[in-house]
Amino acid sequence: MQVVRTIPEIRALRQQLTSSVGFVPTMGYLHEGHLALVKRARVENSTVIVSIFVNPTQFGPREDLSAYPRDLNRDLELLRKEGVDIVFVPSDDEMYPSEFSSWVDVEKLTEWLEGASRPGHFRGVATIVAKLFNIVQPTRAYFGQKDAQQAVVIKRMVADLNMMVEIVVVPTLRESDGLAMSSRNIYLNPEERQAAAILFQALTLAQRLWQGGEKNADELRQQMSSLIQREPLAKIDYVSIADAETLEELSSLERPALASLAVRTGKTRLIDNVSLDLKGAAIGNDINTCQ
Ligand code: PAF
């Protein structure tokens, strides 16, 4: 496995590759969820490239970039075991030199949900992902369904800017109580960790109601919210039943939808979602536990 830190180095390696390249962009501190993306990339491509870069431009002024967990040696060991070929670990200056002044703004889709709660977040994500795509030139790039809005935004950017990359969205990996795997879970103390199971309980409640024939999106939002409110350690940021493609809030469930939420448990903000779509919406289809 080769570990490279500069753009000229990775470009030189990329130029030697003639068959498919699978790319997994990450911010490091890898968990089983990231490794599921890597495994999928490994199966589907001749070469697998992973980037590790804690992207400063996707953090808001009130979000603590310096507190973001990092453990490069452990990450590299995990990637080596997965048979990754190249790891790109650029510095902040490599990706954002002082004269940097071009941004990718995906409109509309980024106005609500995470975009409303975290202004500027998707501008940072779209910009860094576009840069990484230009540098790595992957055949396929892998993203987790847990960050559903991010996946929708990236797909829009790729279509709008005619980028030559296939976006593969991989199902969310969950702990045995349903909590979605996330680098943020390490911030939870034991009580908060227990309370955090309420996110998936609320999402499966929405799936059950929908499967039982409930078409009123407001009813789903209300029932999810009152379930979460029964957990004293959980504070709702948003509860959404939105169109799966446009991410606009729905009043009636006549089209494929996404049930998603953001909830604070103590100081930690967690997000999660499930699909309300005839394809793959059976309860438990989103459960992909890892012991
Ligand atoms: O999902 C993430 O970890 C990040 O948003 C990404 C895609 C690596 C961009 O920094």
Side-chain angles (χ1 to χ4, degrees):
M1 185 174 84
Q2 280 174 283
V3 181
V4 296
R5 293 177 187 271
T6 67
I7 296 168
E9 277 176 291
I10 188 140
R11 278 205 201 283
L13 289 175
R14 177 64 184 96
Q15 267 165 14
Q16 294 164 19
L17 304 172
T18 47
S19 42
S20 62
V21 172
F23 175 51
V24 184
T26 81
M27 299 211 297
Y29 210 73
L30 305 178
H31 51 70
E32 288 295 330
H34 295 110
L35 300 182
L37 308 184
V38 173
K39 285 183 201 328
R40 176 88 178 260
R42 184 67 286 168
V43 169
E44 295 180 351
N45 302 277
S46 306
T47 300
V48 176
I49 302 180
V50 175
S51 64
I52 299 178
F53 178 64
V54 182
N55 175 34
T57 66
Q58 68 189 74
F59 287 76
R62 287 180 301 128
E63 297 173 32
D64 195 353
L65 167 67
S66 63
Y68 196 83
R70 292 163 167 90
D71 191 343
L72 183 60
N73 289 337
R74 182 178 156 276
D75 288 347
L76 293 178
E77 201 39 49
L78 289 169
L79 295 175
R80 194 168 285 122
K81 285 191 189 136
E82 295 299 337
V84 168
D85 300 288
I86 301 169
V87 187
F88 180 44
V89 193
S91 65
D92 287 5
D93 286 347
E94 188 72 9
M95 297 309 278
Y96 296 109
S98 55
E99 65 278 16
F100 185 86
S101 38
S102 304
W103 298 93
V104 180
D105 243 321
V106 179
E107 295 178 352
K108 284 195 278 225
L109 288 174
T110 56
E111 281 168 21
W112 29 79
L113 305 176
E114 288 304 287
S117 300
R118 304 178 69 190
H121 170 70
F122 285 115
R123 183 188 195 235
V125 170
T127 301
I128 196 67
V129 171
K131 282 171 67 68
L132 289 166
F133 284 177
N134 283 336
I135 294 164
V136 174
Q137 298 184 20
T139 317
R140 301 182 186 88
Y142 294 80
F143 293 86
Q145 172 64 28
K146 186 181 124 332
D147 296 308
Q149 187 174 16
Q150 171 170 281
V152 173
V153 168
I154 301 292
K155 281 185 180 172
R156 182 78 268 144
M157 172 186 82
V158 164
D160 288 351
L161 301 183
N162 310 97
M163 293 178 171
M164 291 268 289
V165 53
E166 180 191 333
I167 302 301
V168 182
V169 181
V170 177
T172 304
L173 220 63
R174 299 181 178 282
E175 305 286 353
S176 52
D177 63 353
L179 178 66
M181 290 195 183
S182 163
S183 307
R184 288 167 194 257
N185 295 353
I186 57 147
Y187 298 133
L188 301 169
N189 68 30
E191 292 77 40
E192 291 164 355
R193 169 64 193 81
Q194 227 178 344
I198 199 71
L199 276 85
F200 191 60
Q201 288 165 20
L203 291 168
T204 47
L205 171 64
Q207 272 191 329
R208 271 200 304 277
L209 290 167
W210 172 72
Q211 287 178 328
E214 181 60 73
K215 290 263 194 276
N216 183 337
D218 240 349
E219 181 62 25
L220 263 60
R221 283 186 282 262
Q222 268 169 30
Q223 295 229 23
M224 290 167 75
S225 299
S226 36
L227 180 70
I228 298 167
Q229 278 153 5
R230 276 188 245 146
E231 170 50 67
L233 292 182
K235 209 163 157 281
I236 296 173
D237 189 346
Y238 64 76
V239 166
S240 157
I241 304 291
D243 183 289
E245 271 179 36
T246 66
L247 301 181
E248 281 176 80
E249 288 302 314
L250 292 173
S251 52
S252 173
L253 281 154
E254 308 292 348
R255 297 202 296 271
L258 184 79
S260 69
L261 39 69
V263 172
R264 276 180 204 282
T265 314
K267 285 197 177 130
T268 311
R269 185 172 178 280
L270 300 171
I271 60 170
D272 200 356
N273 66 84
V274 295
S275 158
L276 304 181
D277 185 355
L278 290 176
K279 295 185 256 103
I283 292 173
N285 269 13
D286 286 274
I287 307 180
N288 197 354
T289 55
C290 173
Q291 305 304 322

